[in-house]
Amino acid sequence: MKHRITLQFIAALHLSTLGFATFGQEKADSKAQGVATGAVLIAPFSGARTGALPPPWRVVGLPGNKVPLAQVDIVTIDGASVLRLATDRSYGSAVHALPGLRLGAGARLAWRWRLEQPLAGANLRTKEGDDAALKVCALFDLPLDQLSLGESTLMRMARLVSGEPLPSATLCYVWDNKLPAGTVLPNAYSGRVRYWVLNGAETATGAWARHDRPVAADFRKAFELVGEMPPLTAIAVGADADNTGGRSLAWVGDVTLTP
């Protein structure tokens, strides 16, 4: 589906992969959500019933339904309610809007996830293989004057085409079955998205893995940022298999944020 880099594609990339089309609608609701003292703003999956996501989480797919929507819903695994991400040549994300948070240097993003069925054909270094069976993304509003001239021009035009204030910098933590853990690389289509492999080829599937990441520090490293941290505008959890035409299955537990 994604064979040419056009303004329409760049807009679609950010509107779907990053789910930005849902942002401004739920900021007020997101302020009321929390999962524990000091870990605020993210509505827990564990308190939800089977089926629909707990608000303000929303399911987002590709604009125009160009590919089927992945199965993104709440199921019970090991006695707990968790988010299911199941792809079949499809694409989908769960997106949680945030009120433009200014993260401190010690900000932490934590969750647990489990990959049951990886994508055999995925290769994050190529456009043809640019699919992920499991990713947790932090979306930031980096000022455009901090981008290169080419990137800022493309972003302005993509925002104009989409009519949305698209995120200008996104860090996606991924579980990848080929790259080793610790690999950091740009998205094959857009340098405004960076991947950070947390579980890689050396990690066995079928078991839960927990992560507690210094998200502000990781963002600075991935984007080589020296100046002020941009505001965090959303968290997205997703999976896609539209490029490789494969199938995958994964689950994600509660996501917590300590700003």
Side-chain angles (χ1 to χ4, degrees):
M1 277 290 178
K2 295 178 265 188
H3 299 298
R4 296 176 297 181
I5 299 182
T6 63
L7 292 177
Q8 289 79 8
F9 167 72
I10 294 296
L13 173 70
H14 289 278
L15 282 169
S16 53
T17 308
L18 312 180
F20 202 86
T22 66
F23 284 12
Q25 303 171 14
E26 296 152 355
K27 289 183 179 180
D29 291 340
S30 70
K31 293 180 181 179
Q33 301 293 338
V35 295
T37 300
V40 299
L41 299 167
I42 308 296
F45 301 130
S46 59
R49 296 182 178 180
T50 299
L53 307 189
W57 287 103
R58 292 186 65 181
V59 178
V60 179
L62 282 172
N65 299 316
K66 294 181 179 180
V67 299
L69 182 66
Q71 191 169 19
V72 182
D73 57 2
I74 300 296
V75 297
T76 300
I77 298 293
D78 299 332
S81 293
V82 297
L83 180 71
R84 172 171 56 185
L85 298 165
T87 67
D88 182 358
R89 296 167 290 181
S90 53
Y91 196 114
S93 295
V95 180
H96 192 300
L98 294 171
L101 292 178
R102 291 285 183 179
L103 299 182
R108 312 292 300 191
L109 185 66
W111 70 94
R112 67 183 183 118
W113 60 9
R114 174 176 165 181
L115 179 61
E116 196 70 19
Q117 181 179 353
L119 289 168
N123 183 351
L124 295 179
R125 296 191 185 279
T126 70
K127 295 176 182 177
E128 295 77 11
D130 182 36
D131 282 336
L134 188 50
K135 56 190 173 184
V136 172
C137 304
L139 288 63
F140 293 86
D141 185 18
L142 186 68
L144 296 188
D145 59 10
Q146 295 186 29
L147 310 184
S148 68
L149 178 60
E151 288 180 326
S152 62
T153 300
L154 187 61
M155 182 58 67
R156 286 188 177 92
M157 296 183 73
R159 287 175 173 178
L160 181 63
V161 168
S162 68
E164 297 288 343
L166 304 176
S168 50
T170 298
L171 174 62
C172 284
Y173 299 107
V174 299
W175 187 321
D176 186 78
N177 61 313
K178 291 187 174 64
L179 297 173
T183 301
V184 180
L185 71 163
N187 174 273
Y189 285 97
S190 172
R192 304 321 310 152
V193 180
R194 305 292 169 91
Y195 292 129
W196 192 307
V197 180
L198 292 185
N199 292 98
E202 70 285 352
T203 307
T205 58
W208 289 99
R210 294 182 180 273
H211 293 284
D212 186 345
R213 299 298 306 179
V215 61
D218 285 350
F219 180 85
R220 286 186 177 280
K221 180 177 180 180
F223 282 91
E224 300 180 344
L225 179 69
V226 176
E228 183 181 17
M229 276 292 297
L232 175 67
T233 53
I235 297 296
V237 181
D240 59 302
D242 55 316
N243 284 316
T244 59
R247 296 181 179 181
S248 66
L249 175 62
W251 297 285
V252 181
D254 291 347
V255 180
T256 64
L257 175 67
T258 305

